[in-house]
Amino acid sequence: MLTDILLSLLCRDLNKLKEELELYRDEANIWLIDGSILNSAGNLCLHLVGNLNTYIGAILGDSGYVRNRPEEFSLKYIPRTELVRKIEQTIAVIEATLPLVTDAQMQSEYPQEINGGKQTTGYFLVHLATHLSYHLGQVNYHRRLLDRKE
């Protein structure tokens, strides 16, 4: 049952991330940073896609995805259409992987230590959903603050 809830929430929020990117009036503003806003919406998007493809796709789904975390924050000016395509691919990976995760797996230890600690797969998947939600809120504020018509 938890996998169904997580599947629903992760797909909902990834679709909302696509929506946020599509709402930028000026595509170049996706990559803006300003003052204390140090991460662009584009880099947050790349970070979320990398995170979910690693921890759900590669580790739980054996997708073969190889993460390059430094590039999630260093790449710039990837076209919006490419970001949206990456989000859609991530949704497909999640839709293919989460239904295969059993209740026993959810209650057992996640296959990889995270930040030097052990936790259940269910706990870590809930963490991933809240991590997505946190950064989605940042993207929303980024858009509303830095994509204004002057």
Side-chain angles (χ1 to χ4, degrees):
M1 177 160 111
L2 180 56
T3 54
D4 294 336
I5 294 167
L6 288 165
L7 177 63
S8 175
L9 293 173
L10 289 165
C11 290
R12 178 199 70 187
D13 285 355
L14 284 167
N15 279 309
K16 183 62 179 163
L17 179 60
K18 280 188 347 188
E19 222 176 276
E20 285 292 338
L21 293 175
E22 290 165 349
L23 285 171
Y24 278 82
R25 291 183 208 112
D26 183 343
E27 183 174 345
N29 290 345
I30 291 170
W31 298 97
L32 284 179
I33 57 172
D34 183 48
S36 64
I37 301 172
L38 302 177
N39 289 315
S40 70
N43 290 116
L44 289 170
C45 175
L46 292 173
H47 173 59
L48 290 166
V49 164
N51 192 49
L52 294 169
N53 274 294
T54 298
Y55 295 121
I56 295 176
I59 293 176
L60 294 179
D62 199 28
S63 68
Y65 180 84
V66 177
R67 186 177 193 182
N68 186 336
R69 193 173 190 282
E71 281 191 354
E72 295 168 13
F73 296 98
S74 65
L75 292 175
K76 304 290 180 212
Y77 305 109
I78 294 170
R80 177 180 9 216
T81 54
E82 177 68 12
L83 294 173
V84 167
R85 186 185 66 75
K86 287 178 180 292
I87 295 167
E88 289 170 347
Q89 289 174 333
T90 303
I91 291 169
V93 165
I94 289 168
E95 289 176 334
T97 304
L98 281 186
L100 303 177
V101 177
T102 65
D103 288 339
Q105 284 175 289
M106 292 295 276
Q107 294 170 20
S108 67
E109 191 175 294
Y110 185 73
Q112 184 179 39
E113 276 192 28
I114 306 297
N115 296 325
K118 297 179 181 189
Q119 53 214 282
T120 66
T121 298
Y123 180 92
F124 187 61
L125 289 174
V126 169
H127 164 77
L128 292 176
T130 60
H131 177 259
L132 169 57
S133 181
Y134 174 76
H135 286 312
L136 175 59
Q138 289 180 314
V139 170
N140 174 269
Y141 269 90
H142 181 278
R143 178 182 57 77
R144 291 188 289 139
L145 288 168
L146 300 180
D147 190 49
R148 296 180 289 184
K149 265 192 177 165
E150 300 294 330

